[in-house]
Amino acid sequence: MTSQQLAIGLTGGIGSGKSTVAATFRDLGIKVVDADQASRAVVEPGSSALQAIDNHFAQRYPDRSVILPSGELNRPALREIIFADADEKHWLEQLLHPLIEKWIISELHSAGSSPYVILESPLLLETDQQHLVDGVLLVDIPPELQLQRASHRDGTTTEQIQAIINTQMSREQRRERADWIIDNTEDAATLAPRVQELHQVFLNRIEQSTPSEG
């Protein structure tokens, strides 16, 4: 994917604990590219994408502004619209996904001294982002635990969380497509050691793929 540098995709459903796992990899000195950060970067105030979003939804929902007084994207309002209307969700994805991918590729290619790079993305397997990585690491928990953790963390209703889950790939599909799985129902104290084990797996893979000199 990147110029001979190993790239690992990190994914999982809402509330699964991806961010905690990503932070643990960062503590090991690994560069983590956050797809959510990309989605924010491409709609910063003044961007052409934000203007397009404003124009599009202002015409269709004149009573619901998707732009805050500060000039930033009103994410809760936009989320409410697109999770209730598949056509609007498709329109938004067609606009943003190419821009997000371009931003991600640029970040993946600037990993610096990190021996490998991780792409953290909730929609890794639902989008073309999966083609940017050499393997997929899934953070996995049951749907009922997703509802519990996500609603507690975000202060969002279980109905809203369930609506998000319903738009994402099923747990079974993710598990089938993952190369490595972290069961995040286990004791939190075991998470860092398990990430460390995977870190060593990735380092070993790099070493095995590096041509020996002489």
Side-chain angles (χ1 to χ4, degrees), residues 10-86:
L10 173 62
T11 193
I14 185 172
S16 62
K18 292 183 304 298
S19 297
T20 302
V21 172
T24 309
F25 275 107
R26 286 191 181 96
D27 289 342
L28 294 170
I30 301 304
K31 174 165 183 176
V32 178
V33 178
D34 185 351
D36 283 342
Q37 183 181 352
S39 69
R40 293 188 292 271
V42 300
V43 292
E44 289 180 345
S47 66
S48 59
L50 186 63
Q51 186 62 56
I53 290 170
D54 188 17
N55 293 341
H56 177 86
F57 289 101
Q59 293 179 8
R60 289 160 177 76
Y61 301 90
D63 58 331
R64 296 159 75 183
S65 177
V66 297
I67 305 298
L68 295 169
S70 63
E72 297 175 305
L73 183 64
N74 186 341
R75 292 182 178 277
L78 183 61
R79 188 182 301 118
E80 185 177 339
I81 292 171
I82 65 172
F83 282 124
D85 189 323

Side-chain angles (χ1 to χ4, degrees), residues 3-206:
S3 54
Q4 301 184 7
Q5 184 170 43
L6 180 67
I8 302 297
L10 173 62
T11 193
I14 185 172
S16 62
K18 292 183 304 298
S19 297
T20 302
V21 172
T24 309
F25 275 107
R26 286 191 181 96
D27 289 342
L28 294 170
I30 301 304
K31 174 165 183 176
V32 178
V33 178
D34 185 351
D36 283 342
Q37 183 181 352
S39 69
R40 293 188 292 271
V42 300
V43 292
E44 289 180 345
S47 66
S48 59
L50 186 63
Q51 186 62 56
I53 290 170
D54 188 17
N55 293 341
H56 177 86
F57 289 101
Q59 293 179 8
R60 289 160 177 76
Y61 301 90
D63 58 331
R64 296 159 75 183
S65 177
V66 297
I67 305 298
L68 295 169
S70 63
E72 297 175 305
L73 183 64
N74 186 341
R75 292 182 178 277
L78 183 61
R79 188 182 301 118
E80 185 177 339
I81 292 171
I82 65 172
F83 282 124
D85 189 323
D87 289 337
E88 296 292 14
K89 182 172 182 286
H90 178 71
W91 180 88
L92 187 66
E93 289 173 345
Q94 291 291 105
L95 171 70
L96 296 183
H97 282 181
L99 300 174
I100 290 170
E101 181 172 322
K102 182 178 179 181
W103 188 95
I104 288 172
I105 290 173
S106 175
E107 288 296 303
L108 290 175
H109 279 277
S110 58
S113 60
S114 180
Y116 59 91
V117 62
I118 286 179
L119 170 58
E120 177 192 356
S121 174
L123 298 178
L124 180 79
L125 296 174
E126 288 94 334
T127 67
D128 287 341
Q129 291 172 17
Q130 62 189 295
H131 303 302
L132 303 178
V133 298
D134 303 300
V136 175
L137 170 57
L138 171 67
V139 183
D140 180 57
I141 60 173
E144 57 271 19
L145 192 53
Q146 282 185 263
L147 283 171
Q148 178 184 326
R149 289 183 178 176
S151 58
H152 177 74
R153 178 195 68 192
D154 300 337
T156 310
T157 67
T158 55
E159 289 78 13
Q160 290 172 313
I161 298 298
Q162 187 63 59
I164 295 173
I165 291 174
N166 291 343
T167 68
Q168 297 179 344
M169 185 175 289
S170 72
R171 181 190 184 192
E172 292 74 20
Q173 288 174 311
R174 284 198 187 98
R175 289 183 64 91
E176 287 175 1
R177 297 173 67 175
D179 298 289
W180 305 275
I181 297 176
I182 288 181
D183 179 357
N184 209 19
T185 62
E186 296 184 22
D187 187 334
T190 71
L191 183 60
R194 286 184 285 144
V195 170
Q196 177 70 55
E197 290 177 6
L198 282 167
H199 174 63
Q200 192 58 53
V201 168
F202 301 150
L203 292 178
N204 291 343
R205 179 167 172 174
I206 294 168

